[in-house]
Amino acid sequence: MFAFPLSSRALSRRLTRTLHPTSALAHRGLLSRYESGQHLELNNDLATVNYQKAPDFGSVDGMYNLAMQFLGQEAGGFAHQFGVRYLEKAVDLNHYPARVALAGCMFTGTGRKGRKDPDRAAQLLTDAAVQGVAAAQYQLGQCFVYGLGVTADHDAAQRWLGKADAQGLELAGNALRWIAEFSAADETM
């Protein structure tokens, strides 16, 4: 039997109609279409509804994306706290970008307990930085510059910022130049 290729719109409709409770692949395809608006109406509500099914499929990326959807809501509100819980679940499953996002919540005091915890945030960043996550390396370098959750240590700051810079993170290169200028100005005084 000769099969005609499905158009993107027809594929999206078929994915929507045939989602089986165990079909993680179909869910991921549909989610990416909702998020990008690709041949579907851009619909964040439907994307969120489908992300809520991600934990059932064991999709750690889906949990992370769901958390980020909810973290965009008002800080301290119910949706935000729901997002923090999903970040914590993703962290428990070793999702390193979730560690970086949860560390941000801990630094600002928008975690579940509603208080700042820079020590825990620095530990989350260290775990992700060791695994090579450039954003974590940059943020950990900043922690060492300012002594947030760790003892201020400019050598450690330069080491972590250098690793992030080596991965092409422009902010890290800017921070390294700033540290060099600051150190040079400090020596002339």
Side-chain angles (χ1 to χ4, degrees):
M1 180 174 160
F2 184 78
F4 291 99
L6 289 174
S7 70
S8 293
R9 188 177 301 271
L11 177 61
S12 297
R13 281 194 307 268
R14 183 169 285 181
L15 281 171
T16 303
R17 281 196 316 266
T18 62
L19 279 178
H20 188 270
T22 60
S23 177
L25 183 62
H27 254 284
R28 279 196 295 271
L30 185 60
L31 289 173
S32 67
R33 290 176 181 281
Y34 282 135
E35 286 182 327
S36 67
Q38 181 184 20
H39 303 290
L40 283 172
E41 177 184 328
L42 183 60
N43 192 330
N44 286 332
D45 292 336
L46 284 175
T48 301
V49 165
N50 281 284
Y51 274 134
Q52 288 173 339
K53 297 176 184 177
D56 297 336
F57 299 127
S59 171
V60 182
D61 288 332
M63 281 184 238
Y64 171 74
N65 290 331
L66 177 62
M68 299 312 286
Q69 290 261 338
F70 284 122
L71 289 176
Q73 307 297 321
E74 180 182 340
F78 175 76
H80 184 87
Q81 295 302 316
F82 195 64
V84 171
R85 280 192 213 117
Y86 273 105
L87 276 182
E88 290 170 344
K89 287 180 182 182
V91 164
D92 290 342
L93 295 170
N94 292 320
H95 191 272
Y96 292 101
R99 289 178 189 273
V100 175
L102 186 58
C105 292
M106 302 257 178
F107 276 127
T108 60
T110 57
R112 274 205 303 176
K113 296 178 183 170
R115 60 181 162 78
K116 294 181 181 181
D117 190 352
D119 296 337
R120 174 77 174 122
Q123 183 58 52
L124 288 166
L125 290 175
T126 301
D127 293 345
V130 167
Q131 293 301 317
V133 178
Q137 292 169 339
Y138 167 74
Q139 289 181 20
L140 185 59
Q142 292 292 323
C143 289
F144 279 110
V145 168
Y146 297 107
L148 298 171
V150 294
T151 303
D153 180 347
H154 285 249
D155 292 334
Q158 288 177 323
R159 188 171 52 253
W160 285 113
L161 290 169
K163 289 181 180 195
D165 185 41
Q167 292 192 56
L169 191 62
E170 188 176 333
L171 288 172
N174 295 341
L176 283 169
R177 284 188 289 285
W178 178 82
I179 290 172
E181 289 173 15
F182 180 75
S183 297
D186 199 29
E187 289 174 4
T188 60
M189 291 185 169

